[in-house]
Amino acid sequence: MTTERVNPPELSPPIGFSHAVVATGERIVFLAGQTALDADGKIVGESLPEQFTRALTNLLAALTAAGGAASDLARVTVYVTDVAAYREQAGELGAIWRELAGRDYPAMAVVGIVRLWDEQALVEMDGFAVLDREPGQ
């Protein structure tokens, strides 16, 4: 995939996201919402950072299985049950993102919601990626 991350100077400086991502490739991978579910279907982690780590790990696992990598992410939406907690812990969450997904930030949004499908879930992520290769290449 070729990407151009667009961050116009007339917009506020992006921290941990890109304002726009222009992606060119052959395949689009749509990623379902991922929470902190383990392989047994149970939410793991009590804190937002713990659940954020697991949800992002799950999202990246789905992307990897589809033949992509974190750098192929074009758009991610983060749904949280407590936006204030997300803002308070943004530095730690950003460090987790950089450790797991790197610094090629997709276009992102954080959306506050009342609750998620699993009542214990604090965060969910979905998105899409653009790949320039077929699986196995």
Side-chain angles (χ1 to χ4, degrees):
M1 167 183 74
T2 59
T3 57
E4 176 188 1
R5 298 181 195 293
V6 181
N7 294 299
E10 63 270 17
L11 298 178
S12 65
I15 298 173
F17 70 95
S18 295
H19 284 290
V21 175
V22 179
T24 305
E26 296 180 9
R27 299 176 59 224
I28 298 175
V29 178
F30 294 93
L31 298 161
Q34 298 294 325
T35 61
L37 288 175
D38 65 11
D40 294 324
K42 295 187 176 17
I43 295 291
V44 295
E46 297 290 322
S47 71
L48 179 58
E50 290 171 325
Q51 288 198 19
F52 184 91
T53 299
R54 183 58 186 240
L56 180 55
T57 298
N58 290 348
L59 188 79
L60 294 174
L63 178 56
T64 299
S71 60
D72 296 321
L73 286 168
R75 171 85 175 144
V76 171
T77 303
V78 180
Y79 304 92
V80 294
T81 58
D82 186 344
V83 174
Y86 189 95
R87 289 178 63 92
E88 289 170 10
Q89 297 173 68
E92 184 176 356
L93 300 176
I96 293 165
W97 181 278
R98 290 186 297 277
E99 179 183 333
L100 296 175
R103 291 182 177 268
D104 292 326
Y105 299 115
M108 293 181 74
V110 175
V111 179
I113 58 170
V114 174
R115 68 164 285 226
L116 292 160
W117 181 264
D118 294 298
E119 289 187 39
Q120 305 87 353
L122 304 174
V123 62
E124 182 170 339
M125 297 177 199
D126 70 12
F128 70 89
V130 180
L131 286 59
D132 64 358
R133 60 200 169 279
E134 293 296 321
Q137 290 185 338

